Amino acid sequence: MRQPQDIVLLLKAAGEITRLRLLVLLVQGELSVKDFTEILGQSQPRISRHLKLLADAGLVTRHAEGAWAYYRLNRDRTSGALAEWLIGHLNTDAAELRRDLEKLSGLRVAQQERAAAFFATIAQSWDRLRSLHVADSALEAAIVEAAGQAPVGMFLDLGTGTGRMLELLAGKYAQGIGLDSSREMLSVARAKLDAGGIENAQVRLANITELGDYQRSADLVMLHQVLHYFDDPSIAIAHAASCLKPEGRMLVVDFAPHDLEFLRREQEHRRLGMSQEQMTLWSRAAGLKPVLCRSFPPSREDGLTVCLWVLETIKSNTTKGV
């Protein structure tokens, strides 16, 4: 239960027309300060000041990405319940609110178009790579199965790229966070999550070697087609393992050893696949053990075999439904 002064702070923070407009927009999903300035037509300092008041009161949460900051509605406990009550009693057909929502819709369409344009620039090389290995349907069915039947509170997708794993497993986790070091890829991922109406996932700009904010936070961690970009994949596995809760599980998807050197030249691959022996060595060094490895041969002779590994903490002796 909140103290009376805390409730007064919440009410004061929400009790202003611009801040109410911000809250209504945040019901639609995560937005940046730049997004708000474009929609409301107000200056960045003014918008930031209003958002700070909402954040200080606990009505919204803030996440910084370099010079950018993203905000989302805080749905936790009292503050979330109050925000939802206020918005639920607002007439969003009021002219000002309706214009805000229309501008937000137009902004998202523009963002998705920009994301699609970026993806088109890499479509040729992307399709060439995808054609080298097994069809997505077989692999993705195996990933869903490998995620297990146990409830997943937090799912952490490292190197999320276009956010496909957040989409695929959206029904299995309460909260999903995708991390990637590419702003362009995150733009694609955000557009896809918005288009799919996936509200329990968000993406963040982050380096896989800087995961201090996520230590021991995740029930399930994913490294999907990430390790081959590392000279030393054991580094990525160790950092990923540090994010697991004691009974957590890690899924790793990557290529089996191959000799397609053009992937180094054209796709920036540093390692040409991972062997079972290597994965066992790297995972044990990180306090994990492989409990499952499945191989998916390519549909063409010169293609790539994809492997799916399930790793768990060494003290765990079960496979949790795999």
Side-chain angles (χ1 to χ4, degrees):
M1 299 294 290
R2 292 290 191 97
Q3 295 297 316
Q5 59 268 30
D6 296 328
I7 300 298
V8 171
L9 178 63
L10 289 172
L11 292 170
K12 284 183 176 180
E16 195 275 339
I17 186 59
T18 296
R19 294 196 285 276
L20 278 175
R21 291 169 69 186
L22 296 175
L23 290 174
V24 170
L25 289 168
L26 285 170
V27 169
Q28 311 303 314
E30 186 176 79
L31 294 167
S32 70
V33 175
K34 183 175 182 294
D35 294 331
F36 287 123
T37 60
E38 290 185 24
I39 294 169
L40 272 65
Q42 298 182 17
S43 68
Q44 182 270 328
R46 183 174 182 180
I47 292 293
S48 294
R49 185 165 59 251
H50 284 303
L51 287 168
K52 185 178 186 304
L53 288 170
L54 292 173
D56 288 346
L59 288 166
V60 305
T61 60
R62 178 184 185 275
H63 179 83
E65 288 188 4
W68 289 41
Y70 286 90
Y71 291 81
R72 62 191 293 117
L73 196 65
N74 184 359
R75 300 182 183 276
D76 294 337
R77 302 190 178 94
T78 307
S79 56
L82 176 59
E84 291 182 354
W85 184 89
L86 288 171
I87 295 164
H89 285 74
L90 279 175
N91 177 15
T92 54
D93 283 332
E96 198 168 39
L97 296 181
R98 187 174 66 252
R99 284 196 301 269
D100 288 346
L101 293 172
E102 288 173 351
K103 287 183 179 180
L104 173 59
S105 178
L107 179 65
R108 284 187 166 163
V109 169
Q111 290 172 338
Q112 290 172 14
E113 288 175 348
R114 288 196 297 269
F118 164 75
F119 210 69
T121 65
I122 62 171
Q124 184 175 1
S125 58
W126 179 264
D127 288 343
R128 182 181 179 188
L129 178 59
R130 293 281 288 273
S131 70
L132 292 172
H133 55 80
V134 67
D136 286 342
S137 56
L139 177 59
E140 291 187 349
I143 290 171
V144 171
E145 180 182 358
Q149 300 301 315
V152 176
M154 167 70 82
F155 170 48
L156 193 61
D157 185 23
L158 303 179
T160 194
T162 62
R164 175 55 189 157
M165 293 299 103
L166 291 171
E167 285 185 298
L168 178 66
L169 299 175
K172 285 187 170 287
Y173 56 79
Q175 181 184 12
I177 297 179
L179 305 180
D180 204 284
S181 59
S182 167
R183 288 188 184 276
E184 291 80 7
M185 284 297 188
L186 291 179
S187 178
V188 176
R190 283 192 174 100
K192 290 177 68 177
L193 293 174
D194 283 343
I198 300 174
E199 297 182 352
N200 58 332
Q202 53 191 288
V203 294
R204 297 281 181 251
L205 185 71
N207 192 298
I208 201 170
T209 61
E210 299 173 358
L211 300 173
D213 292 340
Y214 303 97
Q215 299 297 293
R216 291 181 171 267
S217 65
D219 303 286
L220 180 66
V221 171
M222 169 71 77
L223 288 167
H224 183 270
Q225 300 290 13
V226 169
L227 294 183
H228 57 253
Y229 291 108
F230 282 81
D231 285 305
D232 183 1
S234 68
I235 294 175
I237 293 175
H239 283 288
S242 71
C243 298
L244 281 173
K245 292 179 180 178
E247 297 299 322
R249 164 179 295 194
M250 187 187 303
L251 306 184
V252 178
V253 175
D254 222 298
F255 301 122
H258 62 85
D259 59 1
L260 300 182
E261 284 288 343
F262 84 89
L263 293 176
R264 292 194 200 272
R265 299 189 305 271
E266 299 179 16
Q267 299 284 342
E268 301 298 327
H269 290 204
R270 306 300 295 173
R271 303 295 290 257
L272 297 183
M274 325 284 153
S275 69
Q276 179 62 40
E277 292 75 19
Q278 288 173 313
M279 188 60 65
T280 299
L281 179 65
W282 294 332
S283 60
R284 287 192 177 278
L288 305 171
K289 65 177 180 180
V291 297
L292 177 72
C293 177
R294 291 186 61 182
S295 296
F296 298 85
S299 56
R300 45 188 273 190
E301 290 186 4
D302 61 344
L304 294 168
T305 294
V306 177
C307 293
L308 165 63
W309 289 274
V310 179
L311 313 178
E312 294 183 348
T313 53
I314 287 177
K315 67 178 182 178
S316 174
N317 295 317
T318 68
T319 60
K320 298 180 183 178
V322 172

